[in-house]
Amino acid sequence: MLPSPFPEENDHAHAGSITLTDDTGRTLECYVEHSLSVDGQEYVLLLPVDSPIEIFAWQGDEEEEEAVLVDDDDVINQIFGTAQAVLAEQNLIVKNTAYALTVAGDLPAVEESELFTLEIEDEEADLEPEQLQLLASFYDTDQEYAVYTPLDPLLFFARISTTGKPELLSPEEFKKVQPLLEEQLFNEVE
């Protein structure tokens, strides 16, 4: 999952779609943003059809309050129905898809007052802060939760297996082929 280093393109310029499937059998429908071949291996850059969302739990007192990403499947399953109901009020349909929660429907216009900047602390990587837009907040069992969508697109790199199925690149594989992929994609963009 990476923010896009490439310029935004016309939404109708997609070369097709591919369905990713995770280990639990959940699926994620994606547009093929780019397809390229490196050393005889086909790679694809994928953008989810629906908008990704992230749910945060607000913890601590008001002066030291911090947002903690909810990534535990048990907690997500516990609050999923409430998140669905709250977002349905905005005509958004929450989906528990592979690799990311998503919403189908038209997102509200971005308002500066609804933005949240997430500072990512990683000593090994110099990561840019991520900008998120608040979609809704709710309480479940006396815990406050907030649902955000990233402003930058969520992209996946995958290789196409010999059977024609997309397989996400592991972080190690991505590091090996990243320079080759970026070089070829930047050449195609120019």
Side-chain angles (χ1 to χ4, degrees), residues 28-31 47-52 93 95 97 101-105:
L28 178 65
E29 189 72 21
C30 295
Y31 294 120
L47 175 71
V49 170
D50 295 320
S51 301
I93 300 166
K95 300 178 181 180
T97 52
L101 293 171
T102 58
V103 292

Side-chain angles (χ1 to χ4, degrees), residues 8 16 39 63-64 66 91 102 110 122 161 175-176 190:
E8 285 291 313
D39 297 331
E63 292 176 16
E64 296 288 321
E66 98 176 293
N91 295 320
T102 58
V110 177
D122 187 341
S161 71
K175 283 181 182 177
K176 287 180 186 174
E190 293 175 349

Side-chain angles (χ1 to χ4, degrees), residues 81-115:
T82 306
Q84 279 182 311
V86 169
L87 290 169
E89 293 173 7
Q90 297 181 45
N91 295 320
L92 295 171
I93 300 166
V94 181
K95 300 178 181 180
N96 194 352
T97 52
Y99 307 111
L101 293 171
T102 58
V103 292
D106 293 329
L107 294 177
V110 177
E111 292 184 32
E112 284 294 319
S113 63
E114 300 295 320
L115 293 182

Side-chain angles (χ1 to χ4, degrees), residues 165-183:
K165 288 185 156 193
E167 298 172 349
L168 286 183
L169 298 181
S170 71
E172 296 79 27
E173 290 173 297
F174 180 72
K175 283 181 182 177
K176 287 180 186 174
V177 298
Q178 180 180 7
L180 297 171
L181 295 172
E182 286 178 352
E183 179 182 326

Side-chain angles (χ1 to χ4, degrees), residues 25-45:
R26 294 180 299 192
T27 60
L28 178 65
E29 189 72 21
C30 295
Y31 294 120
V32 177
E33 288 292 297
H34 292 282
S35 176
L36 55 134
S37 182
V38 176
D39 297 331
Q41 175 64 59
E42 184 181 1
Y43 294 94
V44 288
L45 178 64

Side-chain angles (χ1 to χ4, degrees), residues 44 71 116 138 166 183:
V44 288
D71 57 3
F116 170 65
F138 61 91
E183 179 182 326

